[in-house]
Amino acid sequence: MQLTSIAACAKARQLATTAALAAICLVGAPVSGSAATANCPAAGLREAKAANWHVADDAQRQALALQALSCLSSPDPVERDGLAFEALQAWMRADKLDTATVQELRTRLAAQLQAPDPQGFARPFAALVLADVARVDRIKPYLSTDQRAQLVRAATEYLRGVNDYRGFDEKQGWRHGVAHAADIMLQLSLNPALTRAEHEQMLAAIASQVAPPGEHFYHYGEGERLMAPIFYLSRAKSLQCSDWDAWFARLAAAPASSGTQQARLARKHNLNGFLQPLYINISESKDEAQRNCLKPLLLRALKQAAE
């Protein structure tokens, strides 16, 4: 059963006397394409934004949050970014969405990462909102071990599969899949509940996009976004310095096929865009063990990237 209207959903929640009945408004698969955009509650979101995202009626706020997901595939950057994303982030960071709503956001957004995305907006913005869903669990844990593992799997599979490297368009706004997926990695890297196996999944996914095959040059800060979770993962007790030695060696190793000159230049550019900001941050880290381990590894990788 899909949401039909904010008012109907709010009324159902107000009348609900059991958890099962209250959950009626939270059931349904994500709608994609033009149908989703047509359902975007832009007017309600504009009203909420004018009130600094204050929606007094709790049931209406929960319903509006779920309906806002339909805006994430909109070609209008205001609807997609300035209304839907800002609303969802503001409500999650202010703890204004209940656990059932956040769980439903997680389910729908994870599905959206795999759904058709002909215009290239829905998946990157699903990832961006999913980063805040992951942040909620980091700050106020609500996921089971299995659900957290599902979140890690959905995020890493999406990051590894990104092949649309468009960034900013003056008229259409952002399509920033790698950076938005890196934002999920950042929130997960800060979560102490993750295991070594999950950290290894994340490392593999990040490595796959630091310098992807082909001739694309990153120029929208992707390297800095990818290095942020690495900075925090390098403090994780589940990973030893020997693990990082092997990871950086694989990252900087020359590919089996040299490819075109343009591809070689792109690889060098993209590696440096990741390694240099990471080196600066590690050099300034107050964590002596982290600094002593990673600085020499990063210097080695930087020299390899320069060859």
Side-chain angles (χ1 to χ4, degrees):
M1 176 179 177
Q2 293 177 340
L3 288 169
T4 53
S5 70
I6 294 173
C9 189
K11 183 177 180 181
R13 290 174 67 95
Q14 290 167 347
L15 293 175
T17 57
T18 67
L21 183 55
I24 287 175
C25 293
L26 300 178
V27 177
V31 181
S32 60
S34 58
T37 303
N39 292 332
C40 175
L45 290 170
R46 287 192 184 94
E47 184 179 346
K49 185 170 185 175
N52 198 27
W53 302 116
H54 176 70
V55 178
D57 186 287
D58 180 67
Q60 185 180 21
R61 189 188 323 112
Q62 309 303 317
L64 185 58
L66 293 176
Q67 285 197 332
L69 294 181
S70 64
C71 306
L72 298 182
S73 59
S74 173
D76 182 344
V78 174
E79 289 184 354
R80 187 177 67 249
D81 202 342
L83 293 177
F85 167 66
E86 286 189 21
L88 290 164
Q89 183 182 70
W91 289 330
M92 281 189 276
R93 296 201 172 194
D95 197 20
K96 296 296 184 182
L97 300 183
D98 60 36
T99 300
T101 299
V102 179
Q103 283 280 28
E104 184 66 13
L105 289 175
R106 177 183 65 85
T107 300
R108 295 192 189 187
L109 290 165
Q112 190 65 58
L113 292 180
Q114 299 179 324
D117 186 15
Q119 297 189 74
F121 298 118
R123 289 178 183 172
F125 273 86
L128 188 61
V129 177
L130 200 56
D132 266 280
V133 169
R135 181 182 182 274
V136 173
D137 182 58
R138 174 173 70 83
I139 303 254
K140 188 179 178 181
Y142 67 95
L143 294 177
S144 68
T145 300
D146 287 345
Q147 289 171 339
R148 197 171 289 114
Q150 291 168 8
L151 176 58
V152 172
R153 185 162 55 252
T156 54
E157 287 178 357
Y158 170 67
L159 177 56
R160 292 178 73 114
V162 172
N163 56 18
D164 183 344
Y165 295 108
R166 285 176 290 183
F168 183 73
D169 178 272
E170 199 66 43
K171 294 182 179 179
Q172 296 182 316
W174 288 99
R175 294 176 177 89
H176 213 195
V178 168
H180 291 181
D183 291 348
I184 311 177
M185 297 296 109
L186 173 60
Q187 294 301 331
L188 292 172
S189 73
L190 291 164
N191 193 325
L194 265 63
T195 66
R196 176 187 172 92
E198 289 162 342
H199 288 162
E200 290 175 340
Q201 288 181 57
M202 293 164 62
L203 287 172
I206 293 168
S208 73
Q209 293 291 3
V210 167
E215 300 181 354
H216 178 75
F217 288 72
Y218 286 143
H219 52 280
Y220 291 108
E222 291 89 345
E224 292 183 12
R225 299 280 271 276
L226 286 166
M227 79 87 189
I230 295 299
F231 178 84
Y232 290 104
L233 281 172
S234 65
R235 293 181 172 181
K237 294 180 180 179
S238 65
L239 299 165
Q240 305 300 315
C241 193
S242 57
D243 297 319
W244 289 107
D245 188 356
W247 189 80
F248 280 107
R250 289 193 299 270
L251 185 72
S257 174
S258 58
T260 64
Q261 176 66 10
Q262 190 78 343
R264 291 192 292 273
L265 290 171
R267 175 177 171 76
K268 179 179 179 180
H269 169 86
N270 295 336
L271 269 175
N272 282 327
F274 168 82
L275 294 169
Q276 289 175 357
L278 182 56
Y279 179 79
I280 292 170
N281 280 273
I282 291 296
S283 297
E284 296 181 351
S285 171
K286 300 188 185 304
D287 186 324
E288 185 177 1
Q290 180 191 39
R291 194 171 61 248
N292 289 343
C293 171
L294 263 68
K295 275 191 72 174
L297 302 181
L298 283 163
L299 282 172
R300 182 187 69 191
L302 284 163
K303 289 177 182 178
Q304 286 180 267
E307 294 175 355

